[in-house]
């Protein structure tokens, strides 16, 4: 049995206790809501995209330590990146979560930084859905923003 | 063992369930997720393998001895299930793939044949998705109206306005026991009220049939649904019981082999009950496994099981409230007589998912989430809860392990 | 063994199936009813009991280790099935209770969403009731038109007017192999013809997936259905494969737990594939058993199985015609390459029911009846036939036993 | 395993080889059709009832030795009986076939005569449907005739 300490790394608990970028953005910012159908968690991602760059991002909703901290770390990482960079970044993350989409190439050289701490989640497959909830919701918001 | 039932040989019962002897990291398995799905006794596992090793064959179709023997075992199991719930006849027992299919069958067959735009179906706020979503699908298709019996502050159905709610209702469909709150509903009274209002009564009995003696005739219900896998039986099997006249008047649900009497290029006629509702090759080995489960439960005695679970409920409620006081919120009735041994709770602000992960370090298996009752979760003001559910094979030792494991959770968060 | 395949160790394969060692009255079991349902190898029976003894738990719902392990086994089996038929992704594999439910799912979900009064569905005269009755039910509800591909005198589909028949057709749904005649249909060609006419192609592959290598992508089909219990897997389980885009565009079929993303009092949204079509607790142990079956079949090799069955067909056709001449009428193609090893026949005017009863005296198990294909029976001019069907575990010894037993039948009538 | 000679008694094979009352009756005689959904057999019973008495009965259709001989013996037995007597006779037969309906009393003193030979069918439960096909169809025709 993988040890629980693989899951609850210090940096994860830190983002859980003190989430960054929690809050809302008013329209014209885009927002998207995601549900984890297994546990009832939900997350809303607010995205302010201009000229192909993520100017601001915030999130609200309820969830476990993994979904909250993963989303918190994600918002920190993507703010200021171009939409194209964010796409590659999300693919890199999902690849780490063993959820790569075969059709899309993954740039393994992208550095995930603190987010690497979520690697331990892979040993707890049911929690992968928790870790990726914010990211999938982000993808939906991005699609919205490019409509 | 404090709080336990004296006539109940827990140790012997536990020996019947091989998985309960499992050790992980040297610690025993504490399985507290039986409201989700129950473990299987040897008698069930062995009945299935023995059947597959010695007698497996198609049923109700072929004339050779092997097939006749298989048919006898299969129909024997149907009889056993009929007897277990005191049905009038085994023709009233329809096997489905799970309780969800049984409810969908009712909505699609009885519902489509009897409900039109504007007709009202009454549900309750404590229903499982299986007794909500199929009705919502019919609502989308037909424009029926869904009405809801609300809850009281002590997690009971609020029946003060039941008569008003029932006025003009065609179907009252409700759970016999909440899979989240543990609340046991007054089924006989609700069936009588439905009938007085001219409605039929459907009882989602998934959470009561495994735990207490069920007499479908005494309940006065029109239809009762439950699942094999929650009552020590195999997965892949559910049961619909219905009053024969009603089942006979209903159109078929799934079409195919076994459910027909005649098929021509230009149309078909239906077989008699219960074949009419059992299209295709059934879950042969699983039905035989359920027959063994019913035999097992009857040998323990449903009244004994209920007594054991009342005792467990007392013990668990005492233990958790004494030990954790305000740190724990149990969403459900306090009176052990009014509830099953299923406890949803919030603990020290720790998210249930995290809590269940930490309990797992002590091999304590509880479910975390919405328990397929999202509307109810919203009403009780939780996104998710942790849920510990006890069955005949659980003892006070399991309850103690739960409490100890809860204590250790606070260290991390 | 004359006529048998040299690379095929029949004796070893037979040892994998415990029931084949059964003796009744000192004589071995001659099981010739696999087109109905197949026997189970040890690996399948053991995978199921081991799972129930050691790892049984809910899947895809709970966070604890036992549940995670169960989920891994369950989803592992889905992957194995996806690989077995060369699906693009395991999301395209939907588990149902049998092939009949899979076909009903298509008719109810795809059919209701896409077919309106006057729309045409093309079937064939050799369909099983499972691929007829659901369409007739939709016909009653919607007024769709059913059209039929007829047969040639040598028991093939008569494709001379296929283009005309397909004009204006929305769905072409057909069997890959007749469960009565043994005829193997040109699936790729039929799928291509359907697509050229703007129709989707549904393949009822119940009789081919167990016997020959299946590559759903190479077939060019849109949907393929088959059953676990005919391919050495457990009862209570069927499979629907569909192209992802199509499955994604379809409305749900059964409503309840697991198939939802969100449920509120005023409506619900669906989960992603494949959960969207898997409402309620699935056949957990059975899916794991099917995973083992697929592993077993792959280890024998589907090409080897097909070779063995071609050899068996040659042997059986030679044997029966040489020995009984005009006394036997085999309803099906004479070319072993164009057929599976399933033989329906009439023998010396003895009613099939009586015949099968007499064969049973020699433990020779054949099915007698309409084989859930009444329209076909009428077309071939029989009310019932006897049917002997051979699978990987049958040998020329079984065929000889059949012939000997047939001989003895004449003594009585 | 019960012996096949329990099933195929000489009298049964005799009625199978030489069925009595095979044929049709023209309207106003009543007729009803029955199917054995398991094997595809079908039988049609023609019934001429007047003043509460079965004046004539015939049958057509295809079936196995058991369904054919059972129906043949049945027609011989009921011809000339009153509708009430026939009802009691059918109940007595179904009782022998272990298919008694609990709500209706069975008169055990009724002598089934040759039909007793069908007792062996009970040892072959799948064949009970064959043996009773003609009888159930008769019941339907009787219901028709009293409408
Ligand atoms: C109250 C209730 N109803 C319905 C169901 C659905 O049963 P199944 O999963 O067997 O379809 C469940 C369990 O999941 C339940 O607890
Ligand atoms: C060709 C064909 N289609 C469909 C079916 C139905 O399969 P199932 O009984 O698993 O629903 C069968 C077998 O019974 C079959 O042979």
């Amino acid at each position: 049995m993988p040890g629980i300490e693989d899951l609850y790394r210090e940096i994860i608990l830190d983002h859980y206790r003190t989430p960054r970028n929690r809050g809302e953005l008013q329209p014209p910012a885009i927002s998207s809501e995601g549900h984890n159908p297994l546990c009832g968690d939900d997350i809303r991602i607010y995205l302010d995209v201009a000229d192909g760059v993520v100017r601001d991002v915030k999130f609200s909703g309820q969830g476990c330590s993994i979904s909250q901290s993963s989303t918190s770390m994600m918002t920190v990482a993507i703010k200021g990146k171009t939409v194209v960079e964010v796409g590659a970044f999300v693919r890199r993350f999902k690849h780490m979560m063993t959820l790569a989409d075969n059709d899309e190439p993954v740039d393994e050289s992208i550095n995930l930084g603190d987010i690497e701490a979520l690697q331990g989640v892979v040993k707890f497959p049911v929690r992968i859905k928790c870790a990726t909830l914010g990211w999938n919701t982000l993808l939906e918001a991005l699609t919205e923003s490019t409509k | 063992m404090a709080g336990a039932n004296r006539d109940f040989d827990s140790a012997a019962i536990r020996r019947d369930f091989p998985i309960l002897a499992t050790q992980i990291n040297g610690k025993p398995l504490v399985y507290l997720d039986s409201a989700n799905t129950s473990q299987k006794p040897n008698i069930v596992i062995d009945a299935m393998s023995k059947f597959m090793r010695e007698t497996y064959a198609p049923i109700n179709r072929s004339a050779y001895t092997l097939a006749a023997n298989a048919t006898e075992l299969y129909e024997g199991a149907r009889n056993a299930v009929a007897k277990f719930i005191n049905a009038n006849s085994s023709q009233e027992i329809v096997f489905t793939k799970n309780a969800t299919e049984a409810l969908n069958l009712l909505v699609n067959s009885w519902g489509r044949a009897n409900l039109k735009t504007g007709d009202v179906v009454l549900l309750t706020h404590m229903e499982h998705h299986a007794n909500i979503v199929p009705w919502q699908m019919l609502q989308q298709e037909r424009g029926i109206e869904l009405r809801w019996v609300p809850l009281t502050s002590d997690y009971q159905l609020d029946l003060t306005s039941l008569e008003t709610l029932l006025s003009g209702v065609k179907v009252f469909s409700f759970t016999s026991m909440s899979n989240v709150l543990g609340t046991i509903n007054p089924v006989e009274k609700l069936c009588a009220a439905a009938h007085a209002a001219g409605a039929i009564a459907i009882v989602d009995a998934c959470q009561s049939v495994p735990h207490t003696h069920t007499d479908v005739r005494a309940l006065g219900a029109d239809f009762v649904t439950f699942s094999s896998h929650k009552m020590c039986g195999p997965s892949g099997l559910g049961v619909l019981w219905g009053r024969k006249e009603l089942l006979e008047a209903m159109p078929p649900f799934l079409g195919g082999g076994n459910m027909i009497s005649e098929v021509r290029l230009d149309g078909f006629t239906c077989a008699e009950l219960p074949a009419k509702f059992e299209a295709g090759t059934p879950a042969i080995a699983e039905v035989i496994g359920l027959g063994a489960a019913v035999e097992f439960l009857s040998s323990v005695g449903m009244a004994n099981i209920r007594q054991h679970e009342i005792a467990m409920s007392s013990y668990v409620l005492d233990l958790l409230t004494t030990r954790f006081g305000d740190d724990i919120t149990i969403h459900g009735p306090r009176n052990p007589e009014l509830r099953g041994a299923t406890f949803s709770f919030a603990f020290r602000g720790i998210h249930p998912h995290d809590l269940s992960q930490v309990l797992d370090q002590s091999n304590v298996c509880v479910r975390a989430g919405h328990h397929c009752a999202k509307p109810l979760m919203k009403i009780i003001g939780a996104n998710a809860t942790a849920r510990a559910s006890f069955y005949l094979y659980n003892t006070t030792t399991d309850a103690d392990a739960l409490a100890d494991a809860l204590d250790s959770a606070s260290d991390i968060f």
Side-chain angles (χ1 to χ4, degrees), chain A, chain B:
Chain A
M1 192 163 60
I4 201 155
E5 57 289 352
D6 293 331
L7 196 59
Y8 298 121
R9 301 279 188 79
E10 201 39 57
I11 179 81
I12 293 178
L13 292 173
D14 175 53
H15 273 266
Y16 176 47
R17 294 193 194 106
T18 329
R20 327 293 199 265
N21 298 309
R22 240 197 116 82
E24 309 190 353
L25 294 177
Q26 296 309 315
I30 296 290
S31 87
S32 252
E33 198 181 16
H35 299 279
N36 183 338
L38 304 182
C39 62
D41 287 351
D42 48 44
I43 256 173
R44 185 170 280 278
I45 301 284
Y46 300 84
L47 207 56
D48 178 358
V49 177
D51 305 327
V53 173
V54 173
R55 304 280 171 182
D56 202 0
V57 53
K58 290 213 180 296
F59 77 102
S60 65
Q62 296 185 48
C64 64
S65 58
I66 302 298
S67 74
Q68 295 287 303
S69 62
S70 178
T71 309
S72 170
M73 291 193 275
M74 173 189 85
T75 58
V76 172
I78 66 165
K79 209 188 281 187
K81 284 202 164 65
T82 67
V83 170
V84 176
E85 284 167 344
V86 171
F89 195 77
V90 174
R91 276 198 296 284
R92 175 73 183 78
F93 174 72
K94 289 194 143 192
H95 184 69
M96 180 174 85
M97 289 290 111
T98 65
L99 295 174
D101 183 332
N102 292 328
D103 299 343
E104 306 249 12
V106 172
D107 181 350
E108 306 247 13
S109 72
I110 294 173
N111 182 353
L112 290 172
D114 284 353
I115 295 169
E116 298 273 358
L118 285 164
Q119 182 126 42
V121 173
V122 174
K123 295 185 197 153
F124 300 83
V126 211
R127 305 304 293 275
I128 292 177
K129 285 226 159 93
C130 309
T132 51
L133 178 61
W135 300 73
N136 286 327
T137 314
L138 171 70
L139 284 184
E140 272 179 38
L142 276 177
T143 312
E144 274 301 303
S145 79
T146 51
K147 260 188 195 154
Chain B
M1 232 177 316
N5 182 337
R6 284 221 208 94
D7 286 342
F8 202 78
D9 186 351
S10 301
I13 287 172
R14 289 180 64 84
R15 278 195 298 275
D16 286 328
F17 290 81
I19 206 171
L20 298 181
T22 305
Q23 301 243 336
I24 311 182
N25 294 336
K27 281 179 278 183
L29 183 71
V30 181
Y31 187 75
L32 300 179
D33 201 11
S34 299
N36 197 331
T37 195
S38 76
Q39 293 301 338
K40 318 302 170 206
N42 280 314
I43 183 179
V44 169
I45 304 170
D46 294 345
M48 291 175 75
S49 356
K50 186 175 156 66
F51 174 67
M52 288 193 273
R53 278 182 212 288
E54 297 175 8
T55 321
Y56 185 84
I59 50 124
N60 281 332
R61 289 182 175 184
S62 297
Y64 51 85
T65 305
L66 195 67
N69 292 346
T71 303
E72 206 174 308
L73 288 171
Y74 180 84
E75 293 300 334
R78 193 195 300 276
N79 289 338
V81 172
K83 214 176 126 206
F84 186 69
I85 60 168
N86 198 27
N88 257 310
S89 129
S90 63
Q91 279 196 296
E92 297 183 333
I93 303 294
V94 173
F95 291 122
T96 59
K97 72 173 176 178
N98 50 28
T100 301
E101 191 200 352
L103 287 161
N104 277 272
L105 187 164
L106 290 175
V107 172
N108 279 276
S109 170
W110 194 95
R112 279 216 177 97
N114 291 284
L115 299 176
K116 51 184 195 316
T117 311
D119 279 346
V120 187
V121 173
L122 183 61
L123 306 172
T124 86
H125 275 167
M126 57 167 85
E127 295 314 310
H128 186 278
H129 293 160
N131 195 25
I132 298 177
V133 178
W135 298 109
Q136 291 181 331
M137 289 168 70
L138 191 66
Q139 184 177 38
Q140 283 173 11
E141 183 187 313
R142 282 283 163 92
I144 57 170
E145 183 194 326
L146 300 185
R147 229 179 254 169
W148 308 84
V149 180
L151 301 192
T152 63
S153 59
D154 59 341
Y155 305 102
Q156 309 285 330
L157 289 180
D158 180 350
L159 302 178
T160 44
S161 313
L162 183 62
E163 240 174 88
T164 323
L165 282 169
L166 270 170
S167 90
V169 161
K170 290 263 172 81
V171 184
F172 183 16
S173 185
F174 56 90
T175 186
S176 54
M177 171 182 142
S178 164
N179 66 316
V180 177
L181 312 170
T183 313
I184 293 176
N185 290 322
V187 175
E188 296 183 35
K189 183 172 156 181
L190 299 179
C191 289
H195 290 155
I200 64 156
I202 299 175
V203 183
D204 171 359
C206 279
Q207 294 292 339
S208 63
V209 168
H211 302 284
T212 188
H213 174 67
T214 302
D215 177 336
V216 291
R217 285 190 263 172
L219 292 179
D222 296 297
F223 297 104
V224 172
T225 59
F226 53 101
S227 21
S228 158
H229 67 92
K230 291 191 207 281
M231 54 192 288
C232 303
S235 51
L237 184 62
V239 181
L240 164 66
W241 168 85
R243 286 203 292 117
K244 198 170 163 196
E245 319 82 81
L246 293 177
L247 289 172
E248 269 172 350
M250 280 158 59
F253 174 43
L254 303 183
N258 196 46
M259 55 70 73
I260 56 90
S261 162
E262 173 64 320
V263 180
R264 287 181 311 269
L265 292 179
D266 63 357
F268 70 98
T269 55
C270 284
E272 304 210 329
L273 291 177
K276 177 166 104 176
F277 291 112
E278 293 182 350
T281 304
I284 311 176
E286 291 66 27
V287 166
I288 288 164
L290 177 59
V294 151
E295 194 186 302
F296 170 77
L297 290 173
S298 302
S299 76
V300 177
M302 293 310 295
N304 291 330
I305 293 174
R306 176 66 188 138
Q307 274 317 111
H308 171 70
E309 291 181 23
I310 290 175
M312 282 305 303
S313 285
S314 288
Y315 186 86
V316 171
L317 286 164
D318 276 1
L319 175 70
L320 295 182
T321 49
T322 316
R323 191 138 156 198
F324 300 115
D326 288 347
D327 281 356
I328 196 163
T329 307
I330 296 173
H331 302 286
R334 289 303 145 125
N335 181 344
E337 303 277 349
L338 298 180
R339 57 143 51 249
T342 291
F343 305 90
S344 283
F345 56 92
F347 185 74
R348 292 186 186 147
I350 304 174
H351 188 281
H353 233 151
D354 293 318
L355 195 59
S356 114
Q357 193 87 59
V358 178
L359 297 187
D360 184 45
Q361 294 294 110
S362 316
N363 298 337
V364 173
C365 307
V366 303
R367 182 163 172 199
H370 54 65
H371 317 295
C372 297
K374 291 194 95 176
L376 173 62
M377 300 307 283
K378 195 160 241 165
I379 285 158
I380 65 173
N383 237 25
T385 66
R387 183 186 68 185
S389 51
F390 295 75
Y391 200 13
L392 77 164
Y393 40 66
N394 292 117
T395 63
T396 53
T397 312
D398 294 327
D400 294 338
L402 168 66
D404 292 345
L406 281 172
D407 243 350
S408 73
S410 319
D411 303 346
I412 299 189
F413 296 96

